[in-house]
Amino acid sequence: MHISKRLSNLTPLIEQNEISRLQAVIESTKTTDDINSLIIHHCVSQADAARMCGMSLNTFKDRVVEAKEQGVIDDVMFESNKYLYSLGHMHALMDWMGIPKWSDKNKGNIIINVVNQKGGTGKSTTVISLAAGIALRMNERRRVLIIDLDPQGTLQQVTAPRLRDSDASSELVLSAVDIMLGSEEKDSDYAQLIANGYTHQEILEYSILKTHIPNLDVLPSFPTDERFSQAAWMEYAKTGELMHVKRLKSKIIEPLSNHYDLILIDTGPHVNPLSWSALEACNALLVPVCPRKLDWVSTGQFLSNLPEQMSYLPSKGDNVKFFKAITVNYDEEQGRDIEMLHQIKTVLGRDVLNATIKRSSAFEAASRNYRTVFDLRKKDNLCPDRQLDKAISSLNDAIRELLLTLEDVDFSEEN
């Protein structure tokens, strides 16, 4: 039998034994108790809530009574003889009170492609850590979305999002690639939803998974997303054009422009049409760099080749308005990375953030427990307290500097 025929015969057997996406998501989805624990972890006291809203405690109490009467919030939690306000409460209250947030500045959507073709540089950890840290900044209340374009699909496991409906069996889990390829895949879930009368916008919004942080969402990926590059190359063979790379922007980013203030795109360590689609869709580049000699050599080669890659894209790279590198996994305790850090700063100059994300066992502990480091509690003893403090402190420093440098750029379409 011809090899291609034998491979074709394997297809139905593979499909029969394939673990469904729903099962994969459910396995990494937290229980109600887990979610409640994380919600409580991020709660604030009544005094802190009043301070965040910029008012006295008595005034805040009066406004809360009014908000409850109007149905703005439900009852707050009361534990250990004190009131606890969840992130959901705080978002609803601050919006109702008209407390300014980042989107009021109206400087356009920021779409950051976190990219480095060198594997093992901590891209996914960087993405989820930055996204969670930014989403937790209540003074700005940015609406944050992670688009996972790495077919390994690690981000949906780390964030462990909740399914929205109690009836999990009714859920379809679509990835960004499913939506980008859309109705051209005639037997796909996307095509079936279109046939059932759903619009593209409805399918897109339906596919986004919520997390325990109210303003942080995830559009997941799965191993089958590898087929995007194959479809793009086949189209290129027929037409001589790589039009597929425009689909992330047109089919996902633009329809969500009013839904999110900041979108972070995580790509795999590949140079292919799927990673190029992120380059075409973004307006900012963030390159994680490990201060190790071999990592820096590989990253340097990637940065040297990046302009040529961008020149082949439809936009020619004109869409990118911001570029920074960020040093990650920096080991300050052993002193072994200081020389490489100086070399990186010498070469990149102002194009590398001064703040570094430091090496810490807290990141491994968070990943093992399907959390971000911001979700870890010292009383759970998942890592040494000092390691957790170091991880959170370095992340907050990096986030603060990143956001300040982003402030200098106008990302509005008119600009």
Side-chain angles (χ1 to χ4, degrees):
M1 182 183 295
H2 196 278
I3 291 295
S4 62
K5 180 63 174 176
R6 286 165 56 189
L7 290 172
S8 297
N9 290 341
L10 287 175
T11 300
L13 297 175
I14 293 172
E15 291 176 348
Q16 289 172 16
N17 287 275
E18 183 180 9
I19 298 175
S20 74
R21 292 178 176 184
L22 180 59
Q23 285 179 276
V25 172
I26 289 175
E27 284 181 5
S28 64
T29 298
K30 296 186 180 301
T31 66
T32 301
D33 288 342
D34 291 333
I35 291 295
N36 289 339
S37 176
L38 291 178
I39 289 174
I40 292 174
H41 173 60
H42 291 296
C43 282
V44 297
S45 68
Q46 192 161 236
D48 285 339
R51 178 184 53 78
M52 292 166 66
C53 293
M55 58 186 65
S56 69
L57 183 58
N58 288 334
T59 300
F60 179 75
K61 289 178 180 179
D62 291 340
R63 297 304 306 274
V64 168
V65 171
E66 185 181 353
K68 288 181 180 178
E69 291 174 349
Q70 296 185 19
V72 176
I73 61 170
D74 54 13
D75 290 336
V76 300
M77 289 174 276
F78 189 76
E79 286 195 3
S80 302
N81 204 33
K82 63 180 180 180
Y83 289 101
L84 296 176
Y85 289 78
S86 69
L87 292 174
H89 286 131
M90 295 308 302
H91 277 271
L93 283 171
M94 296 175 83
D95 288 347
W96 175 70
M97 293 176 183
I99 298 173
K101 53 188 175 182
W102 187 87
S103 59
D104 296 330
K105 298 177 183 179
N106 200 25
K107 294 183 68 175
N109 303 91
I110 304 174
I111 302 99
I112 303 177
N113 181 13
V114 183
V115 58
N116 191 333
Q117 71 180 30
K118 171 69 176 66
T121 56
K123 289 191 300 298
S124 295
T125 299
T126 300
V127 168
I128 186 56
S129 299
L130 293 178
I134 292 171
L136 288 169
R137 293 169 67 92
M138 292 301 298
N139 60 319
E140 295 172 334
R141 307 198 304 286
R142 297 180 194 239
R143 301 164 297 174
V144 183
L145 172 67
I146 297 173
I147 298 178
D148 193 354
L149 287 189
D150 185 349
Q152 295 183 54
T154 55
L155 285 184
Q156 59 93 1
Q157 295 173 352
V158 174
T159 53
R162 291 176 290 175
L163 296 178
R164 289 165 295 181
D165 301 328
S166 57
D167 181 12
S169 63
S170 66
E171 288 276 350
L172 288 176
V173 183
L174 301 184
S175 69
V177 165
D178 294 327
I179 296 168
M180 285 192 285
L181 293 180
S183 54
E184 73 181 49
E185 297 182 322
K186 302 303 180 185
D187 297 326
S188 66
D189 290 332
Y190 179 97
Q192 185 62 51
L193 289 170
I194 290 291
N196 290 340
Y198 291 92
T199 66
H200 175 84
Q201 186 73 27
E202 290 171 335
I203 296 171
L204 176 56
E205 294 177 18
Y206 176 85
S207 302
I208 293 171
L209 301 176
K210 302 294 182 181
T211 71
H212 60 282
I213 301 175
N215 53 324
L216 174 60
D217 298 338
V218 178
L219 186 55
S221 69
F222 297 93
T224 51
D225 290 346
E226 295 279 8
R227 73 190 190 281
F228 179 87
S229 292
Q230 179 183 0
W233 285 126
M234 291 179 68
E235 179 66 20
Y236 179 76
K238 295 176 183 177
T239 66
E241 296 183 349
L242 274 173
M243 300 306 294
H244 277 62
V245 300
K246 301 174 70 174
R247 294 191 180 190
L248 179 62
K249 182 177 181 180
S250 64
K251 291 185 174 291
I252 294 179
I253 300 294
E254 290 178 347
L256 293 175
S257 61
N258 294 324
H259 292 65
Y260 297 97
D261 306 310
L262 177 67
I263 297 175
L264 292 103
I265 308 171
D266 181 38
T267 56
H270 313 292
V271 178
N272 58 23
L274 187 55
S275 64
W276 291 336
S277 68
L279 281 176
E280 180 67 13
C282 73
N283 52 26
L285 290 174
L286 184 66
V287 179
V289 182
C290 286
R292 313 282 188 275
K293 289 184 178 180
L294 291 179
D295 290 83
W296 171 234
V297 169
S298 179
T299 299
Q301 188 65 44
F302 164 70
L303 292 174
S304 297
N305 294 335
L306 195 55
E308 183 177 9
Q309 290 186 48
M310 297 171 71
S311 70
Y312 292 119
L313 298 175
S315 67
K316 308 298 183 186
D318 292 338
N319 52 305
V320 180
K321 302 178 180 181
F322 176 93
F323 163 72
K324 289 287 181 181
I326 180 170
T327 308
V328 301
N329 204 22
Y330 173 62
D331 189 348
E332 67 171 356
E333 297 180 0
Q334 303 299 325
R336 64 176 186 175
D337 293 340
I338 188 67
E339 182 180 343
M340 285 306 307
L341 181 63
H342 286 321
Q343 186 172 338
I344 291 169
K345 289 183 177 292
T346 298
V347 174
L348 296 180
R350 65 178 184 177
D351 288 327
V352 62
L353 296 177
N354 290 312
T356 64
I357 298 179
K358 296 175 182 177
R359 181 182 179 86
S360 167
S361 61
F363 291 108
E364 289 80 8
S367 181
R368 284 195 305 270
N369 291 276
Y370 300 138
R371 301 181 183 184
T372 74
V373 292
F374 294 102
D375 299 322
L376 298 183
R377 300 178 300 180
K378 290 182 178 179
K379 68 179 183 179
D380 291 335
N381 296 316
L382 296 175
C383 68
D385 290 355
R386 184 174 61 84
Q387 292 292 314
L388 180 56
D389 288 338
K390 180 169 64 171
I392 291 178
S393 175
S394 68
L395 273 171
N396 283 332
D397 288 344
I399 288 169
R400 188 180 305 110
E401 185 180 356
L402 174 64
L403 294 180
L404 283 173
T405 54
L406 286 168
E407 286 285 334
D408 295 332
V409 183
D410 187 351
F411 290 96
S412 60
E413 289 294 328
E414 305 84 52
N415 181 262

